Structure formats: C-alpha cells, structure tokens
Amino acid sequence: SSTNATAVSATGNHNALVGEKHRLSAEIERIVQGHLKYKYEDVSDGWDLIHQEGEMKVYRREVEENGLVLDPMKIFHTIKGVTGHEICHYFWEFQYRMEWETTLDSTKIIEVLDPQTVVFYQVHKRVWPAAQRDSCFWSHIRSFTSSDEDQPTWLVVNYTTSHLLAPIKSPQVRIVANVALICETVINEPPLNPKDIKRENIECKLTYVAFVNPGGWVPSAALRSVAKREYPRFLKRFSSYVLEQTRDKPILF
Ligand code: 16H
C-alpha cells in the first residue's frame, strides 16, 4: 500500500485503503460511469416538468411495470454560495444524515469498503398506505476534473446491494434504488487571486436522479403524489441545511 493510504477503523474494516480494490469496485465503476453518461440526456422527450420553484426543476418520466410505479425522477437545481464538494460532503456523510433527512426512522453504516464507499442500512418512515420499507445500499463519493481550469465535479451514488448484516425481514419491504447526486461548481466574476473568492462568487449546479423501485405493492396515485411532494421538499430542506452549515466556514473547494 502507498504512503497516502489511510486506514479506516471506525467500523472495523482495517483493509479499507485509498484506491484499494474490493468486491464492489467493478460494479461501482460501472454504475458511476452510467450516471455520468446519462446526466447529459435531454429531458425534453418523455419527461414531464412536475414542479418548478426558483432555480429548482423537478422532472418525472412515468413508468409502470406490472402495475407498480417505477417513475424515474430527475431534478436540476442551482444553489448560490456553496460548492459541489460541500453539497456532496453533507449528502454522503453519515453524521449529518438525520439532521436533514425527514423520511427516515433510522440509518446506520454496516460496512466501510474504502474511504469513499460505505454500505448503509436505513429504515424509512411509512409515508404511504402500505408496509414499512427499508433499504441497503452502497454509497460512494468521488470527484473528478475534466480540464485544468474547471472546478472538480463531485458526485455521490447510492445503489442497492444485498448484505449479510441486512437480511430482508418481512413484512418489511426492501426498496431498490439507484440514486445519483452530481454537482458542478461555477465561479462567477472570478477575482484575480483565487484566495479572494467569496461565497457570493460561487454557485453549485446539481443534478439529482433517482430510479426507485418501492418493492411490494403501493397504490400508484398515492406513490406519485408522495413523490411529487417529497422530492422537492427534500431538496429544499437539504440545500438550506448545507447553506446554514457552511455560511461561516471557509469554502471547501
Ligand atoms: O436521496 C435521498 N436520501 C438518501 C440518504 O438518506 C437515500 C436515498 C435512497 C433511498 C432508497 C434506497 C436507496 C437510497 O438515496 C433523499 C431521498 C428523498 C426521497 C423522498 C421521496 C419519497 C417518495 C417515495 C418514493 C419511494 C421511496 C424511496 C425513497 C427514495
């Protein structure tokens, strides 16, 4: 292992080293690349704009399979005063989760795969007239730079996985999901000295995509109205949470 390798011991995996391959590495690579490609897909065809509020635009594509609603969601938002790194940091880190999530009863990390990848087990609040849901997913955070001038793009992907520490216990129903938060940072009127960049000069352009199979049975109309209400609510609450957390802190580029 190289010198910059950092051992993560908080949850007991002493083999979680930076850049180290593990059983999910290949899958993570494939799913991350898929999101990056899909991000540039146009929403003019087949997507309905179901909610617009300030800079936020919420799109939905109606998809049903065997009477079960699988509508993909795609949300665009621009948040002034924060970076993509900050947005992704607060979305990915376990310690902040219950401060902005209002749709969960509980969350826990059941495995640390590497310093950028953990496995979560979450119990969701009953938000619709059906059985309670839980979820088990790997959550991966990453940044990459496309050119030298650009600010790095940050992303978090949450993708359902099975895990020995999270067996499915009926009547609880497992949600299957593939969710990505992709963030680009824009610097407006950049000062000559990068040290002089102020929060008023920065904004984060984010794309949030969710493919969610709620599992079990849920009445279509109820699920669609919950989704239409809850996704915008989540993004509003989460973005004001990040603004509040970062306001008096140095900018995390
Ligand atoms: O992305 C959100 N929260 C993540 C952190 O808690 C977890 C989420 C996820 C959910 C299920 C399975 C894996 C991963 O990425 C914010 C989600 C806000 C969603 C509110 C909408 C609820 C509408 C009903 C849709 C079906 C429920 C599944 C929730 C996504």
Side-chain angles (χ1 to χ4, degrees):
S1 307
S2 61
T3 46
N4 67 355
T6 320
V8 173
S9 54
T11 38
N13 183 358
H14 295 270
N15 297 318
L17 302 172
V18 174
E20 197 113 315
K21 293 253 190 290
H22 49 73
R23 70 179 190 283
L24 292 173
S25 298
E27 178 178 271
I28 290 168
E29 219 39 55
R30 182 170 58 81
I31 301 303
V32 165
Q33 295 309 322
H35 278 295
L36 294 176
K37 223 170 119 186
Y38 180 83
K39 178 180 140 22
Y40 299 103
E41 193 205 55
D42 187 8
V43 282
S44 56
D45 211 34
W47 293 84
D48 303 321
L49 177 62
I50 59 163
H51 186 91
Q52 181 164 14
E53 201 173 330
E55 299 279 318
M56 178 170 53
K57 284 186 168 144
V58 181
Y59 291 87
R60 168 159 77 188
R61 197 151 51 84
E62 293 206 351
V63 176
E64 266 180 63
E65 218 175 79
N66 305 319
L68 189 67
V69 169
L70 302 178
D71 301 350
M73 305 289 297
K74 193 160 182 161
I75 309 176
F76 299 106
H77 198 7
T78 300
I79 305 164
K80 292 198 167 58
V82 294
T83 65
H85 190 180
E86 289 169 331
I87 291 280
C88 286
H89 171 76
Y90 288 96
F91 185 72
W92 184 75
E93 284 281 342
F94 165 79
Q95 64 192 109
Y96 310 114
R97 182 78 31 102
M98 295 308 266
E99 292 180 17
W100 60 265
E101 261 283 17
T102 58
T103 64
L104 296 180
D105 275 347
S106 66
T107 178
K108 70 177 174 194
I109 292 178
I110 56 174
E111 188 177 357
V112 176
L113 287 155
D114 64 43
Q116 294 81 36
T117 316
V118 297
V119 179
F120 279 99
Y121 175 71
Q122 303 200 140
V123 179
H124 297 256
K125 279 190 180 148
R126 282 176 76 153
V127 281
W128 50 73
Q132 183 155 46
R133 258 80 178 155
D134 65 7
S135 59
C136 178
F137 56 94
W138 54 254
S139 186
H140 177 76
I141 186 167
R142 152 173 333 187
S143 71
F144 48 89
T145 311
S146 29
S147 84
D148 288 350
E149 300 119 333
D150 284 347
Q151 288 291 315
T153 295
W154 278 84
L155 121 171
V156 174
V157 177
N158 292 339
Y159 189 87
T160 291
T161 194
S162 57
H163 201 283
L164 284 171
L165 298 177
I168 297 174
K169 294 193 192 111
S170 78
Q172 198 141 293
V173 174
R174 183 71 38 104
I175 300 172
V176 174
N178 179 3
V179 172
L181 175 66
I182 305 172
C183 298
E184 284 161 308
T185 305
V186 179
I187 301 175
N188 299 308
E189 300 164 51
L192 286 174
N193 186 345
K195 287 203 172 82
D196 295 331
I197 299 175
K198 301 246 164 34
R199 289 207 175 269
E200 64 205 48
N201 298 119
I202 63 178
E203 59 184 22
C204 173
K205 290 187 177 300
L206 74 80
T207 307
Y208 176 92
V209 287
F211 298 89
V212 175
N213 182 332
W217 182 81
V218 195
S220 303
L223 181 59
R224 287 197 165 117
S225 80
V226 168
K228 186 177 174 159
R229 185 185 70 222
E230 293 298 328
Y231 283 102
R233 177 189 275 182
F234 140 63
L235 256 171
K236 268 170 68 179
R237 183 180 162 90
F238 173 67
S239 47
S240 55
Y241 174 76
V242 177
L243 279 169
E244 191 183 296
Q245 291 298 308
T246 51
R247 190 174 295 134
D248 301 318
K249 295 196 176 80
I251 302 169
L252 179 63
F253 284 104

